[in-house]
Amino acid sequence: MLKKQADTIRFLCADMVQKANSGHPGAPMGLADIMVVLSQFLNHNPKNPNWLNRDRLVFSGGHASSLVYSFLHLSGYDLSLDELKNFRQLSSKTAGHPEIHTPGVEIATGPLGQGVANAVGFAMAAKFAANLLNTPENELINHKVYCLCGDGDLEEGISYEACSIAGNLKLDNLVLIYDSNNITIEGDTSIAWSEDVKARFEAQGWEVARIDGHDYDQIEFALNEVKNKEKPYLIIAKTSIAKGAGKLEGSHHSHGAPLGEDVIAQAKAGAGFDSELKFHISDDVLLRFRAAVEKGDLSEKLWQKQLENLNDDGKKLLNALLNPDFSKISYPDFSGKKVATRDSNGAIINAIATAIPGFIGGSADLAPSNKTELKNMGDFPNGRNIHFGIREHAMAAINNAFARYGLFLPFSATFFIFSDYLKPSARVAALMGVKHFFIFTHDSIGVGEDGPTHQPIEQLSQFRAMPNFYTFRPADGVENVKCWQVALNLNAPSGFVLSRQGLEPLPNAVFGDVKNGAYLIKQSEVDTEILSRAASTGKAPHVTLIASGSEVSVCLKAAEILEREDIGVSVVSAPCFELLCKQDESYTHKILPKHSLKIAVEAASAFEWHKFADIVYGMSSFGESGKAEALFEHFGFTAEKIADFVKANLD
């Protein structure tokens, strides 16, 4: 029966890829035997994919998505056979790589290696949840995290970062099943990879087992040992890619292309299946898999009994984790204060953490510089400060899992220049629409003496170009608070791009607010006369300066210089380009008048401002090494040089 179940999965996967004429049949067919046995160990409820104490199953090799969908359908999740037949088609629930709109998919793993780090994140989140909610009498959180990965996942650097953290934390609730088929797209893994994986993981603090990935007894024995482990557990399963696919079994040609109708028909006949039937599931096989529904429903009902026995403090805490109340946050007041936005941000996140028990995070070994330590809140796993080490990419992917766990609001912190190291995980966060807060300090050439390798230039444009990601670059402490108030209520990740140097406090808004993305912070007293003249002549002796972050106060000073020469100048603070893009024309024309010369000023590449500005005054090169003040002078970001630039463009 186990073999019949496994072959059913194999042929469902093969049929899906064949019908779509696109996909990866090899890995799913090779993993089918493991999937069948693993399905007997998983504690989950197909009727409620969001049950808190379910085992998490992560498919790091997302290209093997046909295996994911076959398992979910067979187990009784809300994923019909028609959806399997619609594999990789527009608007289906069965996308080429797993996405969270599919019931039962825990997280969008995307590029190889992401899922390994996500699994580490789920295991970490479970540990922290258990420390918060469990008592000696009532073990409310005790689930496991399983992850299926392949050679490609372990070749990616992110998996090394994440598994190193897992070993250091002794995550005994984490099981990584490595599909060791020694095949990549280009051929045998030996052409590029020859390390001893067992020795690598043991050196990182894992327990390791080797098994035949097609031997049901060995698979069962290895999975049964999970309960005895005191460290994270790697199961190296030796498999054949495209197991059962005749001449294509073991071949790299089966990795990313349909097997062909003839090969599939021969494989089905060889396994005793009707070679003419496609997407066929026999009643006895379906009955075995669908046992997961009753088993899972019973498990959740028993857990609900435990939930009822939770003491009053525990129930109050769980409710606060599930339903964070942002109105309880008592924000610091920065009115009239000159302060670096990294410093104001540090005070803000401490205020958030005080009010919101699920607010948790850390830095890639830069907390003192990022100002991200949560004061008096301890270190993970008992406290809320996570020490990620110098592992930006793993940090972001781990926190994506924290965001998907169901209880937590995570933040990831580093220097803005190092956002390049975590960009792939930030992108997946945006794709999923999770509340994950990225804190990026040292935001511009103001980094100073560390030089051009550490001075971000193109990064602002990069994040602003990302769909469903909101990049906030506040210009003072008050604006920083408002940015957080907006970000906490967005169903999307946000980035906070923060200064190292102190920033002057801004005047009150004239029109609009941070929630609009940009707002008028200074309006010239001669606007009416000048705009009237501009409307009749077609010329614009009126200027609107648009800026974010440290450049806003510089533009305000430039405006003073220009107004002494009877040039009307308005200044717009634009802390969030993405929110500005969502405003209608009636709003944008109010703060950015048609007959005003609009100049965007930013110490970055800033090319995206051409959407709203007539001229962009930004960086066209990398920075240099020197004191921040000298660099701003050298690259023209002073009030005098901006004023001169404006006058030159009015002539």
Side-chain angles (χ1 to χ4, degrees), residues 606-619:
F607 68 89
E608 64 276 12
W609 280 114
H610 285 290
K611 182 181 177 85
F612 297 103
D614 302 302
I615 304 171
V616 173
Y617 186 83
M619 294 288 294

Side-chain angles (χ1 to χ4, degrees), residues 413-434:
T414 188
F415 289 174
F416 195 28
I417 193 68
F418 302 144
S419 64
D420 289 341
Y421 280 173
L422 58 74
K423 160 70 163 47
S425 294
R427 185 178 187 274
V428 177
L431 189 146
M432 291 189 290
V434 296

Side-chain angles (χ1 to χ4, degrees), residues 138-209:
N138 193 1
E139 197 175 53
L140 197 68
I141 304 295
N142 60 3
H143 66 84
K144 299 292 185 184
V145 178
Y146 296 88
C147 178
L148 292 169
C149 74
D151 299 297
D153 293 290
L154 297 189
E155 288 183 43
E156 290 284 1
I158 187 175
S159 67
Y160 196 102
E161 293 182 24
C163 292
S164 176
I165 296 174
N168 186 61
L169 293 172
K170 296 181 171 58
L171 298 178
D172 59 356
N173 57 344
L174 174 62
V175 183
L176 184 62
I177 303 171
Y178 164 35
D179 175 28
S180 178
N181 60 30
N182 294 106
I183 294 294
T184 65
I185 291 176
E186 295 182 357
D188 192 281
T189 55
S190 62
I191 63 176
W193 199 43
S194 56
E195 69 187 59
D196 186 336
V197 173
K198 181 175 185 292
R200 163 184 157 183
F201 274 80
E202 287 175 339
Q204 289 183 307
W206 288 58
E207 291 197 42
V208 183

